[in-house]
Amino acid sequence: MGFSGDIRKLRPSLGDSQLVEYASVEPPAEIRPCLNALGDANYVIDLGNLFTWGPFDCLYDPQYSASLNNGAGLNGLDTLCQQSPLPFEPPPALQTSRPDTPIEPATLQSLSTPAEEAHQSSESVSHIVNDLTASSCASPQGDPDSHSDDDILIAENFFHVKAVRNEMYEKIQSFYLAQTDMCFKKVAFPDINRLNCLVQLYFEYFHSQMPFIHSVMFESDSSWILVLAVAVIGSQYTKMAKGKQYIIVLSELLRRAIPLDAVKALQYDAMTLAQSTLLLNVNLVFNGFRDDIINLQFLRTWLATLIRPFLNPNSKRDSVLLHVSRTVNIYDRWHAWLQVEARTRLVYAFFLLDSFCVVFLDMQPSYSMDDFENRLPSSDQLWSSQDAHSWQSHLQSSRETPIITLRQFLSSSCSRNFSLGQLSRFNRLTLLLGLFVGEKQAANISRFTTRFLVPSGNPCALRHSLETPNSYPSLNSRYQLLEPNFTPTTSASTFPDCFTICYHLTSIFRYTSLRDILAYTGWLVTTVESIAAGKRIAQIMEKDTEGARKCVIHAGAVIREIRGVLAPACYHGFSLLFAFLYLWVYERFYTSTTTKRPCPDQSSPYKLLRIDRDPKSTLEKQWIAGDPDCRPYLTGVGLLLEPGASTRLLKECQRILKSFDAWPHLRAGFIFSLNELVDEVNPLTDVPYSWAS
């Protein structure tokens, strides 16, 4: 969000010289030598620098500061994956279930690994890896403790699935040993016991967020690539001393293991490859490194290609499988049902991740909503059955749930009285995100039509262009169908919080765009663009003050759901950040437009609207209506719309992020970016780093 470096002598584009100002902040001494290359007249901006300054660069984690200043040698490690690795012959242990499956050659290793410093410096990376190694060998008190992981290994082995088999681990280890990059020799690799714990952590913390891998199928049919993919996500939740090293090495190993050649991909099981690639993309979105976002640009497209064969609706096949002759073994019926259900859940897990890219990263969706004709997944009770008899019992006792597809729900013919109470939280979340993403697509098309297809110079067209909404009021009734004010069916514990968070967050983004909020903070924009974004937000808030006040309540609801969570879901960091940033933007808008705040007498204090608690409906209505005696209050911040509240908001967001025990790199990046926002560091102003360019 802010700019902490000194990028000089970059020649601005013609006509843009008045927009480009040198950064006013001198870089820290430890990274200043890395910037000398920018003074070279022949310096060419590389793709990685486009994401150098933003919340995805977590390399300024305060815990790294000691090693950055300890004067350690800088030449012990080449930039991670900067070297061109030599081709190698895959050892036999790397073969998948199909004996002719090759290992992807070095041509797939074209982009840098996530663990790079902000300036693509091998020296900076050496610092980070050395620090990771040093800090991981110390106990929380700073004393070496060789047995510090023993208790953690016991605590993190949840026995959700069978332990990782020796032959499976040997295949992963062989692929690791086959890597020729120096970085793989400097970063710790987990042994079989630790890798098994990472797999168990996946099913303990992440499985309920995207339930598309069944534990029984994983135990019987999983390949080493899928085991590696599961371990990568599980590593985000470990408390092991070298947990951050495991995240780095396993993430890069998985990226290299996924084949990106269509012919070679045919040699893998389609389901396994799609599942593994989906988990790789999850890691890229939420890991917290800018290089992951770059890799995401094409790996997300590759994932969409792998998912395409699964988009064909198969409801007829489901019916045949569920009503097969009773002479067939119940075990076979259950496994046939699992195969079909796994296909459906894979499609909607992909849709969920793709929607997260739209909501959190402001990307374009991979597919139109019309492409999702698959029925929504079956109930969680059926899917979580661990044997054929429990599955049959749930199948016979469960109520008949409505069969609906995402496309049907979004169609104009869908009845507004349609009952959604019997749908699981995952299905409700799917419908909510489908509605939001479809609406966003329509709004983008509307802007394009207005901007390019209307006659130029038409005053009416210009006025319509300025009034193009972020949402369509005609869809409000659809959102009301999904409003989280009911008692849901029994489901995984993570989804009530996920659905509620996404409902309130999308309500904010229906009012004002994510890109304008981030641009106003100064992230990856020029000063001119940041000011323009602020003006757009101010115009919206002046035109619809009630909507702005409603979004304050929505932001408080997001904070209420996330506050106090120790092992956050992958989307918690983004959701918390954007909720606080909206309150920060609203605070600044209110401060700039209010000349004198009303001050009630001592006998009549403000009526506090506790937005992060369960606010009373009467107070909500008074606040939305603009009652000056009703004021929002946030725990840890105090009264909003008061002097200093904007800074206290950012610091409270940092405090909550610091309490998280998962997704450490993303968390650290957000904390550092908020530090810059608190310190009012000037945003990056060089045009090549701007979104608009």
Side-chain angles (χ1 to χ4, degrees):
M1 280 180 281
F3 173 55
S4 63
D6 182 20
I7 295 184
R8 302 180 179 180
K9 301 182 181 180
L10 287 177
R11 291 172 291 182
S13 304
L14 295 177
D16 289 338
S17 58
Q18 70 277 15
L19 302 180
V20 181
E21 299 293 337
Y22 289 145
S24 61
V25 179
E26 188 71 6
E30 63 272 10
I31 66 172
R32 198 172 297 139
C34 304
L35 299 176
N36 293 339
L38 298 177
D40 187 353
N42 296 322
Y43 173 69
V44 179
I45 299 174
D46 67 317
L47 181 63
N49 281 334
L50 294 176
F51 290 85
T52 297
W53 310 109
F56 308 107
D57 196 339
C58 72
L59 298 179
Y60 292 94
D61 190 332
Q63 65 178 315
Y64 297 153
S65 59
S67 67
L68 287 174
N69 294 287
N70 63 6
L74 303 180
N75 299 320
L77 177 65
D78 293 325
T79 301
L80 293 182
C81 307
Q82 187 173 356
Q83 299 177 342
S84 298
L86 298 175
F88 62 93
E89 291 296 329
L94 295 182
Q95 300 298 333
T96 65
S97 57
R98 299 187 181 186
D100 57 343
T101 299
I103 296 305
E104 194 64 4
T107 55
L108 298 185
Q109 307 165 12
S110 56
L111 289 183
S112 302
T113 187
E116 288 184 284
E117 177 51 284
H119 301 283
Q120 300 284 33
S121 168
S122 61
E123 301 173 345
S124 303
V125 176
S126 174
H127 280 320
I128 292 171
V129 175
N130 289 339
D131 178 73
L132 281 170
T133 306
S135 63
S136 64
C137 296
S139 64
Q141 291 76 22
D143 299 325
D145 185 1
S146 60
H147 301 288
S148 60
D149 268 0
D150 292 347
D151 292 338
I152 295 177
L153 289 175
I154 295 174
E156 293 186 346
N157 188 3
F158 292 97
F159 298 97
H160 288 296
V161 294
K162 295 178 182 178
V164 176
R165 300 190 304 272
N166 288 333
E167 59 269 22
M168 196 70 68
Y169 178 79
E170 290 172 359
K171 292 179 181 179
I172 298 174
Q173 188 182 42
S174 297
F175 186 66
Y176 162 75
L177 294 175
Q179 307 306 309
T180 60
D181 298 54
M182 279 296 296
C183 63
F184 283 99
K185 312 306 178 185
K186 295 291 186 179
V187 183
F189 186 80
D191 59 28
I192 187 171
N193 293 325
R194 286 170 171 78
L195 187 74
N196 175 64
C197 286
L198 300 183
V199 171
Q200 305 299 333
L201 286 168
Y202 170 93
F203 286 96
E204 174 68 15
Y205 293 111
F206 184 80
H207 174 68
S208 59
Q209 300 171 37
M210 290 186 183
F212 68 97
I213 297 179
H214 197 280
S215 58
V216 173
M217 299 177 68
F218 177 78
E219 291 174 345
S220 60
D221 304 329
S222 61
S223 70
W224 70 270
I225 293 182
L226 183 58
V227 172
L228 175 60
V230 167
V232 166
I233 301 300
S235 67
Q236 299 286 354
Y237 291 91
T238 186
K239 297 180 182 178
M240 297 178 196
K242 297 183 179 181
K244 291 184 179 180
Q245 291 193 55
Y246 298 155
I247 293 174
I248 292 173
V249 68
L250 294 179
S251 297
E252 178 62 15
L253 206 60
L254 176 61
R255 187 180 70 82
R256 298 183 178 204
I258 298 296
L260 300 182
D261 182 272
V263 175
K264 294 177 181 178
L266 293 176
Q267 302 174 12
Y268 290 77
D269 176 74
M271 175 75 73
T272 298
L273 182 57
Q275 290 173 333
S276 303
T277 309
L278 175 57
L279 291 178
L280 171 62
N281 277 261
V282 170
N283 194 63
L284 294 176
V285 172
F286 299 106
N287 196 18
F289 290 100
R290 76 183 189 282
D291 290 344
D292 288 339
I293 303 302
I294 299 172
N295 289 330
L296 179 67
Q297 308 299 316
F298 61 88
L299 285 170
R300 180 168 169 251
T301 303
W302 177 237
L303 173 61
T305 303
L306 297 177
I307 292 293
R308 169 63 75 178
F310 297 95
L311 289 178
N312 296 325
N314 50 19
S315 58
K316 293 182 179 179
R317 181 184 177 188
D318 291 351
S319 179
V320 172
L321 286 171
L322 293 178
H323 297 86
V324 70
S325 172
R326 295 185 180 276
T327 59
V328 177
N329 187 294
I330 184 176
Y331 182 83
D332 294 333
R333 289 185 61 209
W334 176 49
H335 271 263
W337 180 89
L338 280 179
Q339 291 290 338
V340 176
E341 182 68 12
R343 292 169 57 93
T344 300
R345 286 180 174 265
L346 175 62
V347 167
Y348 283 109
F350 161 78
F351 172 76
L352 186 62
L353 175 63
D354 202 59
S355 299
F356 282 160
C357 291
V358 176
V359 175
F360 297 135
L361 303 179
D362 201 39
M363 293 181 172
Q364 295 299 316
S366 299
Y367 287 114
S368 166
M369 297 303 102
D370 288 338
D371 293 319
F372 293 92
E373 299 185 66
N374 303 65
R375 62 165 180 83
L376 293 179
S378 300
S379 68
D380 296 327
Q381 291 88 349
L382 283 175
W383 176 248
S384 59
S385 299
Q386 295 299 305
D387 57 73
H389 293 286
S390 61
W391 168 76
Q392 186 181 44
S393 176
H394 285 304
L395 185 63
Q396 293 174 348
S397 61
S398 60
R399 294 180 299 175
E400 184 177 355
T401 57
I403 298 178
I404 184 175
T405 67
L406 180 59
R407 179 178 180 179
Q408 289 173 345
F409 178 76
L410 299 178
S411 66
S412 58
S413 60
C414 182
S415 172
R416 296 183 179 181
N417 298 323
F418 183 76
S419 176
L420 301 176
Q422 298 181 20
L423 294 180
S424 67
R425 288 282 187 173
F426 181 82
N427 289 347
R428 293 177 64 85
L429 177 62
T430 299
L431 296 180
L432 170 66
L433 293 177
L435 186 59
F436 176 78
V437 173
E439 181 182 34
K440 189 175 179 67
Q441 282 182 309
N444 291 339
I445 293 174
S446 176
R447 292 190 187 94
F448 174 85
T449 303
T450 302
R451 185 178 304 170
F452 296 105
L453 302 184
V454 298
S456 59
N458 187 336
C460 296
L462 178 60
R463 183 169 61 252
H464 176 71
S465 176
L466 296 175
E467 295 175 356
T468 300
N470 293 308
S471 60
Y472 293 94
S474 59
L475 293 178
N476 290 345
S477 60
R478 294 294 178 87
Y479 283 96
Q480 291 172 359
L481 285 175
L482 299 168
E483 189 173 359
N485 57 355
F486 66 100
T487 302
T489 57
T490 303
S491 183
S493 59
T494 305
F495 285 114
D497 128 81
C498 180
F499 173 76
T500 303
I501 287 172
C502 288
Y503 179 85
H504 292 291
L505 198 62
T506 53
S507 297
I508 295 174
F509 293 153
R510 291 188 72 212
Y511 177 78
T512 184
S513 71
L514 167 63
R515 179 162 295 196
D516 279 345
I517 292 177
L518 288 178
Y520 182 61
T521 68
W523 183 66
L524 290 182
V525 292
T526 64
T527 302
V528 174
E529 292 166 343
S530 180
I531 295 174
K535 290 181 178 179
R536 288 192 295 270
I537 295 175
Q539 290 175 354
I540 294 174
M541 290 187 173
E542 289 174 356
K543 182 179 179 180
D544 184 8
T545 57
E546 288 191 359
R549 290 170 175 262
K550 287 180 181 178
C551 288
V552 170
I553 298 175
H554 288 306
V558 173
I559 297 170
R560 177 179 69 239
E561 295 293 333
I562 298 177
R563 186 194 297 274
V565 174
L566 295 180
C570 57
Y571 48 82
H572 276 170
F574 277 107
S575 302
L576 185 75
L577 175 69
F578 295 149
F580 270 100
L581 285 183
Y582 177 81
L583 294 177
W584 178 81
V585 169
Y586 183 84
E587 178 79 26
R588 291 170 68 91
F589 167 77
Y590 182 90
T591 302
S592 64
T593 57
T594 304
T595 56
K596 183 178 180 181
R597 293 182 174 85
C599 183
D601 54 38
Q602 296 296 326
S603 61
S604 178
Y606 289 120
K607 293 175 285 187
L608 300 185
L609 177 67
R610 306 290 296 270
I611 59 174
D612 61 329
R613 301 290 178 86
D614 189 11
K616 298 180 179 179
S617 58
T618 54
L619 290 178
E620 283 187 353
K621 293 178 181 178
Q622 292 177 18
W623 161 250
I624 294 173
D627 186 346
D629 293 336
C630 184
R631 298 284 288 277
Y633 182 96
L634 183 64
T635 304
V637 177
L639 271 177
L640 301 186
L641 315 182
E642 289 290 324
S646 60
T647 299
R648 291 194 296 272
L649 281 168
L650 301 179
K651 291 182 177 180
E652 176 64 9
C653 184
Q654 287 179 311
R655 187 195 67 78
I656 298 175
L657 287 170
K658 289 177 182 178
S659 69
F660 288 172
D661 285 341
W663 302 96
H665 297 133
L666 183 67
R667 175 195 65 198
F670 286 164
I671 291 172
F672 172 77
S673 298
L674 290 170
N675 270 333
E676 290 194 326
L677 203 55
V678 170
D679 296 338
E680 298 185 354
V681 176
N682 289 342
L684 186 64
T685 55
D686 295 289
V687 171
Y689 296 83
S690 161
W691 270 352
S693 60

